[in-house]
Amino acid sequence: MPDVIKTLSSQLAQDPDSLVFLRLGELLRQKGQLDTAHRVALTGLERHPHLPDAHDLYARILADKHDYERAFDEWDMALRIAPDHVGALKGLAFLYFTVGDVQQAAAHLEAAQRAAPDDPGVAQALALARGEAGTVAAPEPIAPAARPMEEARVFAGLEGAQEGLLLLDASGRVLGGALKDPAGRDVTDAVAAYLAGVSQEAARTVKLLALGKWTGLAAEGNRGHVHLAPPSSDALLLVVRDRAVPMGRLAIIAQRAALAARRWLEAHA
């Protein structure tokens, strides 16, 4: 394989517009040379921005690097260009699996199976999705926060960081993040007070309905989308984004924020 990579690299150097970058990037990805694969894929995508396979390759590399938000964007773009692109459908199904949305994962795999009925990998993944529908695991419960936090360090490094992310305890006490309305006014405390007790109510509701543990709630609005999730049994996470952010990407953002919140809660228990 090193000889193949060397040959493909030489071909690409001689003809930078060649589609050989697709095979080269995939081989590098398979060998775990993600940084080099990333450079090859990104350069190829810049030269071929309307090529769905280029977006698919770049997304697979991003997913391997655990950059799921950008991977979602690239697979979504591939589908905008080619709605039946099997690689993109499979990729988005994988991302929906990672956030526990088995129904959306199955829907994308069903679309992939219609486009490629003889693909055994799609059939196997679809059987798994159908078997697991309704049994998505909830995050493990952890102890609630007991001490105030340093202002907004919960979400340090995450997209949005301070704004559009809000972590609160069962009583509605703000633990991290901040929210503003469209006019730029701070509404953090008002929203936190309104959401006080929501986590317990959601838990009681799903228990009465024998649905297991609740893992999240998403809603669309005229000006934006929201996602609620319980990073622990005594805390609630709210993520707000404008309508330009797809619901699937919002779920991934919420998953990363919930993970950061759980870690912070554990450290401050």
Side-chain angles (χ1 to χ4, degrees):
M1 187 175 294
D3 290 339
V4 175
I5 290 176
K6 184 177 180 180
T7 299
L8 294 175
S9 298
S10 177
Q11 293 176 9
L12 187 61
Q14 294 174 9
D15 182 7
D17 289 326
S18 170
L19 296 184
V20 74
F21 80 91
L22 294 171
R23 188 181 176 197
L24 175 59
E26 179 60 18
L27 288 176
L28 290 167
R29 185 188 74 84
Q30 292 176 2
K31 286 181 62 66
Q33 298 179 22
L34 298 182
D35 289 340
T36 304
H38 185 278
R39 289 194 295 272
V40 169
L42 185 58
T43 300
L45 186 59
E46 290 172 348
R47 290 180 176 274
H48 304 278
H50 303 297
L51 183 66
D53 285 348
H55 290 279
D56 179 39
L57 171 63
Y58 191 37
R60 278 182 274 129
I61 295 167
L62 291 170
D64 283 353
K65 292 166 75 72
H66 304 290
D67 190 347
Y68 296 140
E69 295 172 33
R70 293 171 64 197
F72 183 98
D73 290 343
E74 292 302 321
W75 273 318
D76 182 64
M77 180 57 69
L79 286 184
R80 291 174 186 270
I81 300 170
D84 293 327
H85 195 282
V86 176
L89 290 166
K90 290 163 67 175
L92 287 176
F94 162 74
L95 293 182
Y96 279 115
F97 264 125
T98 66
V99 298
D101 193 338
V102 180
Q103 290 185 339
Q104 277 293 330
H108 282 75
L109 288 170
E110 288 169 356
Q113 190 173 57
R114 289 193 294 271
D118 297 326
D119 189 323
V122 172
Q124 182 178 6
L126 184 55
L128 176 64
R130 287 170 173 168
E132 291 190 356
T135 61
V136 182
E140 296 181 4
I142 58 176
R147 298 192 303 267
M149 60 165 284
E150 305 85 1
E151 178 63 24
R153 295 306 300 168
V154 175
F155 304 118
L158 293 183
E159 178 187 331
Q162 266 292 79
E163 296 183 12
L165 294 168
L166 183 63
L167 178 67
L168 56 145
D169 64 15
S171 65
R173 181 170 63 101
V174 176
L175 302 176
L179 297 176
K180 292 183 179 180
D181 67 10
R185 293 183 294 264
D186 187 281
V187 294
T188 302
D189 292 334
V191 172
Y194 183 82
L195 293 175
V198 167
S199 183
Q200 290 88 339
E201 288 300 322
R204 281 194 288 268
T205 300
V206 295
K207 183 177 181 180
L208 288 172
L209 295 173
L211 298 177
K213 295 180 179 180
W214 83 288
T215 59
L217 173 66
E220 297 184 16
N222 291 331
R223 295 187 176 181
H225 305 315
V226 298
H227 192 287
L228 285 169
S232 81
S233 58
D234 295 300
L236 185 69
L237 172 69
L238 174 67
V239 182
V240 181
R241 290 293 184 271
D242 63 37
R243 290 184 61 85
V245 178
M247 292 298 290
R249 188 169 189 262
L250 179 62
I252 295 169
I253 294 172
Q255 181 198 40
R256 294 184 63 193
L259 178 59
R262 282 205 303 275
R263 289 172 174 168
W264 185 88
L265 289 166
E266 289 175 333
H268 292 74

